[in-house]
């Protein structure tokens, strides 16, 4: 009996000991609660948002437009929706008399100066008859357009507040890295004061929006109405202006684009100071350096910007830069590709003397040039369909081959045998008066006429067409059809595999084409 009783007693003591240990453990839990890890999830950005919301505004615009028939289906909004009136007002427009109606639109902006300067997108206010700024408090002020820049899609507005406004500062977008956190604040679909957070997904994006594309890409939600709003870093500094999205549905899919402050800040300062932009101008026509041009230009890889022509009356006419040069550096900055040169020249002060490193005849040379001023007033590149890769003021004459200012030393058609010739799948002939009339070739265009291009030839694949003119072959001005064939033979003898041709269109636009000679 005692033996039988002793077993439950031992078990009871073991259970009591375990219970005591458990009690001690549980009893000590509150003492260790502060050492537990924090809850999962990113840190709150509430304090940062609260600090910035007061500087972000809604931009409401309106304009009278003539009716052009059916405007398309309106957004489908459930009957009785609290947003029905909003969509009726801002998406359908308000019908008026006289075959016209009033169109309203919404966007975003942000205050950069307590005195009332506000930045937004040009496309938010373009064509507006009336601009109104709506502040987070609900107050409204009429805005005056200070200046606009269509090439970067930026505009500056001015309001007259009774008291200083809460403003934000520009930060340095150049120090931002892919993966850094950013915050967007704006007015999506008219729902003002909306905050979204994401990261920088990519930098230096070219979305073909303009000649100076250098967008920051972010996955922070950006929708219609966010245009013109700020993209902040985690210090509360503006590092981008939200401008565009990629969206099949019209809503955010996590691909938004912002103009970086490294480009925007100088534009905004000029708009405030001058009411317009004052960009540097080099006065050259350029084209990309492609892989098939590398060998003939003496480069180790595709880089830089190839000078395809010099603009008459420009800063470097009869100057140090020549047609066929490859610009590798400009004012100490590497030119990795053609659009790099577009941006760095445009951002340089008018009248500044800069050093330019070029590749010429297989050797690097350092030149010095003084910049002129780019005339942006006509904005012909954007509106007339002309080549957007031109660093030239609108209204100037077409670029022409660089002739070192000594036209008399050049041979002219008629001084050599002008017998038609065929080479590399191209049939060539002299330019006759009838040819100029039939093909619309400008009098300023000189060289050898392409009278035919063999179907399926490499020349055809490279885009050469009947009616175009070969101006130079291997940087030598061509004076006869036979001269082109002779140059091909000469280069083959030297072991060269490609020939670099300068091609002029009928109106004088130039480009370089590398043709394989094998």
């Amino acid at each position: 009996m005692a033996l039988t009783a002793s077993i439950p007693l031992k078990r009871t003591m073991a259970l009591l000991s375990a219970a005591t240990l458990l009690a001690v453990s549980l009893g000590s839990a509150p003492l260790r609660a502060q050492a537990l890890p924090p809850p999962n999830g990113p840190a709150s950005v509430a304090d940062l948002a609260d600090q910035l919301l007061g500087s972000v505004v809604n931009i409401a615009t309106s304009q009278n437009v003539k009716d052009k028939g059916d405007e398309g289906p309106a957004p489908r909004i459930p009957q009785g929706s609290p947003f029905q009136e909003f969509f009726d007002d801002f998406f359908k427009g308000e019908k008026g008399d006289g075959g016209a109606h009033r169109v309203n639109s919404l966007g975003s902006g942000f205050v950069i100066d307590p005195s009332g300067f506000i930045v937004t997108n040009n496309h938010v206010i373009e064509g507006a008859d009336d601009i109104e700024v709506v502040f987070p408090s609900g107050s409204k002020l009429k805005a005056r357009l200070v200046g606009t820049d269509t090439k970067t899609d930026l505009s500056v507005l001015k309001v007259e507040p009774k008291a200083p406004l809460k403003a934000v500062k520009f930060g340095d977008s150049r120090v931002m890295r892919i993966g850094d956190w950013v915050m967007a604040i704006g007015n999506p679909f008219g729902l003002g004061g909306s905050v979204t957070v994401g990261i920088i997904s990519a930098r230096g994006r070219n979305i073909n929006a303009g000649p100076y594309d250098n967008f920051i890409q972010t996955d922070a939600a950006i929708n219609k109405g966010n245009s013109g709003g700020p993209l902040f870093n985690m210090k509360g500094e503006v590092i981008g202006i939200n401008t565009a999205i990629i969206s099949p549905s019209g809503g955010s899919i996590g691909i938004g684009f912002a103009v970086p402050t490294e480009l925007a800040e100088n534009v905004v300062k000029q708009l405030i100071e001058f009411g317009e932009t004052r960009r540097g101008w080099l006065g050259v026509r350029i084209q990309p350096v492609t892989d098939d041009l590398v060998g003939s230009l003496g480069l180790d890889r595709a880089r830089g910007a190839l000078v395809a022509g010099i603009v008459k009356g420009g800063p470097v006419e009869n100057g140090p830069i020549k047609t066929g040069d490859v610009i590798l550096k400009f004012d100490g900055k590497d030119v990795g590709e053609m659009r790099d040169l577009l941006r760095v020249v445009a951002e340089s002060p008018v009248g500044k003397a800069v050093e330019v490193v070029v590749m010429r005849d297989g050797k690097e040379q350092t030149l010095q040039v003084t910049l002129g001023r780019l005339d942006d007033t006509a904005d012909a590149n954007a509106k007339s369909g002309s080549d957007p890769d031109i660093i030239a003021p609108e209204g100037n004459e077409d670029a022409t081959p660089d002739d070192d200012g000594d036209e008399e030393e050049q041979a002219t058609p008629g001084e050599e045998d002008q017998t038609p010739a065929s080479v590399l799948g191209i049939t060539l002939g002299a330019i006759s008066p009838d040819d100029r009339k039939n093909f619309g070739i400008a009098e300023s265009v000189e060289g050898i006429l392409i009278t035919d291009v063999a179907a399926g030839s490499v020349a055809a694949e490279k885009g050469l067409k009947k009616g175009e003119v070969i101006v130079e072959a291997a940087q030598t001005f061509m004076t006869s059809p036979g001269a082109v064939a002779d140059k091909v033979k000469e280069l083959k003898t030297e072991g060269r595999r490609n020939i670099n041709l300068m091609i002029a269109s009928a109106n004088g636009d130039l480009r370089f084409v590398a043709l394989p000679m094998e």
Side-chain angles (χ1 to χ4, degrees):
M1 183 70 177
L3 181 59
T4 304
S6 66
I7 296 175
L9 180 60
K10 290 180 179 178
R11 289 179 178 174
T12 299
M13 293 298 293
L15 291 173
L16 287 173
S17 298
T20 301
L21 291 173
L22 180 60
V24 171
S25 177
L26 291 174
S28 64
L31 298 177
R32 295 200 308 252
Q34 294 180 351
L36 293 176
N40 292 332
S44 173
V45 293
D47 289 341
L48 180 61
D50 185 61
Q51 172 188 341
L52 301 173
L53 277 165
S55 302
V56 183
V57 298
N58 300 345
I59 308 293
T61 68
S62 61
Q63 66 180 125
N64 290 315
V65 298
K66 294 182 179 180
D67 289 331
K68 295 183 180 180
D70 187 9
E71 297 180 1
R76 294 184 179 181
I77 306 298
Q79 286 291 6
S81 167
F83 299 107
Q84 183 70 48
E85 182 179 354
F86 161 75
F87 277 95
D88 287 345
D89 287 345
F90 291 95
F91 285 87
K92 293 183 180 179
E94 299 172 357
K95 291 289 181 180
D97 297 329
H101 67 281
R102 196 164 184 81
V103 173
N104 300 274
S105 63
L106 292 173
S108 304
F110 56 98
V111 181
I112 60 167
D113 188 282
S115 65
F117 286 105
I118 295 170
V119 175
T120 187
N121 279 147
N122 171 66
H123 76 260
V124 170
I125 54 85
E126 188 173 21
D129 300 316
D130 185 68
I131 306 173
E132 190 172 59
V133 176
V134 184
F135 293 88
S137 63
S139 61
K140 302 177 181 179
L141 289 175
K142 295 292 184 181
R144 169 177 61 88
L145 178 61
V146 174
T148 192
D149 180 51
T150 58
K151 291 186 177 180
T152 55
D153 196 19
L154 295 175
S155 292
V156 175
L157 309 176
K158 182 67 167 67
V159 296
E160 301 299 334
K162 294 181 179 179
L165 301 176
K166 187 175 182 180
V168 290
K169 296 181 179 180
F170 284 120
D172 188 355
S173 62
R174 290 170 295 187
V175 303
M176 300 299 292
R177 303 168 59 199
I178 295 173
D180 280 345
W181 287 99
V182 288
M183 173 188 291
I185 302 180
N187 183 29
F189 299 107
L191 304 173
S194 294
V195 178
T196 57
V197 176
I199 62 169
I200 291 180
S201 306
R203 292 175 50 91
R205 287 296 197 208
N206 179 11
I207 61 174
N208 296 317
Y212 311 124
D213 279 16
N214 187 28
F215 288 98
I216 294 172
Q217 180 183 326
T218 179
D219 65 352
I222 296 174
N223 289 283
K224 292 180 179 178
N226 273 108
S227 289
L231 188 67
F232 293 103
N233 61 20
M234 291 296 103
K235 296 179 182 179
E237 300 168 331
V238 179
I239 50 88
I241 294 92
N242 301 320
T243 298
I245 60 173
I246 290 180
S247 174
S249 64
S252 173
I253 61 170
I255 304 178
F257 301 99
V259 179
T261 54
E262 62 192 273
L263 176 62
E265 187 173 8
N266 187 48
V267 170
V268 169
K269 287 180 179 178
Q270 290 190 12
L271 292 178
I272 292 175
E273 184 176 358
F274 308 116
E276 61 182 359
T277 52
R278 297 184 178 181
R279 294 188 168 95
W281 173 45
L282 189 57
V284 298
R285 293 178 59 90
I286 57 174
Q287 73 175 69
V289 176
T290 56
D291 289 336
D292 54 2
L293 288 171
V294 168
S296 60
L297 295 173
L299 297 170
D300 55 345
R301 66 182 189 281
R303 58 192 176 106
L306 176 58
V307 178
I310 308 296
V311 178
K312 287 185 176 180
V316 296
E317 183 186 22
N318 302 324
I321 296 179
K322 300 180 182 297
T323 301
D325 286 348
V326 180
I327 298 177
L328 302 177
K329 283 188 176 183
F330 185 91
D331 199 17
K333 301 179 179 67
D334 289 332
V335 179
E337 56 182 321
M338 183 185 71
R339 64 192 182 106
D340 292 339
L341 182 64
L342 289 167
R343 287 196 303 269
V344 70
V345 172
E347 293 169 8
S348 300
V350 177
K352 182 178 182 180
V354 299
E355 285 191 347
V356 181
V357 178
V358 303
M359 178 70 76
R360 180 185 298 170
D361 299 328
K363 298 179 181 179
E364 287 192 12
Q365 297 186 28
T366 300
L367 315 172
Q368 188 167 49
V369 301
T370 300
L371 297 179
R373 180 184 171 187
L374 176 65
D375 181 7
D376 276 338
T377 54
D379 198 19
N381 283 348
K383 297 179 180 179
S384 69
S386 61
D387 187 352
D389 301 330
I390 301 174
I391 309 179
E394 287 68 33
N396 280 270
E397 298 179 40
D398 289 332
T400 56
D402 182 14
D403 56 14
D404 293 332
D406 192 356
E407 296 179 359
E408 294 181 358
E409 292 183 1
Q410 293 183 350
T412 57
E415 293 180 353
E416 297 183 21
D417 183 7
Q418 299 300 319
T419 303
S422 295
V423 62
L424 303 177
I426 311 169
T427 303
L428 304 170
I431 305 176
S432 69
D434 287 341
D435 291 328
R436 290 193 183 276
K437 182 177 180 180
N438 294 334
F439 293 111
I441 301 172
E443 291 296 330
S444 60
V445 177
E446 296 181 357
I448 306 305
L449 180 66
I450 297 177
T451 59
D452 194 21
V453 179
S457 65
V458 176
E461 293 176 0
K462 293 288 185 178
L464 296 186
K465 299 176 182 178
K466 181 178 179 179
E468 292 185 317
V469 175
I470 296 178
V471 180
E472 291 183 359
Q475 298 182 322
T476 302
F477 182 73
M478 292 291 102
T479 58
S480 69
V484 180
D486 291 342
K487 179 59 70 173
V488 170
K489 292 178 182 178
E490 176 187 334
L491 294 179
K492 284 185 175 180
T493 302
E494 296 174 358
R496 301 277 288 274
R497 301 177 62 183
N498 297 298
I499 184 170
N500 199 12
L501 303 177
M502 180 194 287
I503 306 297
S505 64
N507 65 2
D509 289 343
L510 301 175
R511 73 183 193 279
F512 284 90
V513 176
L515 283 185
M517 298 182 295
E518 299 174 348

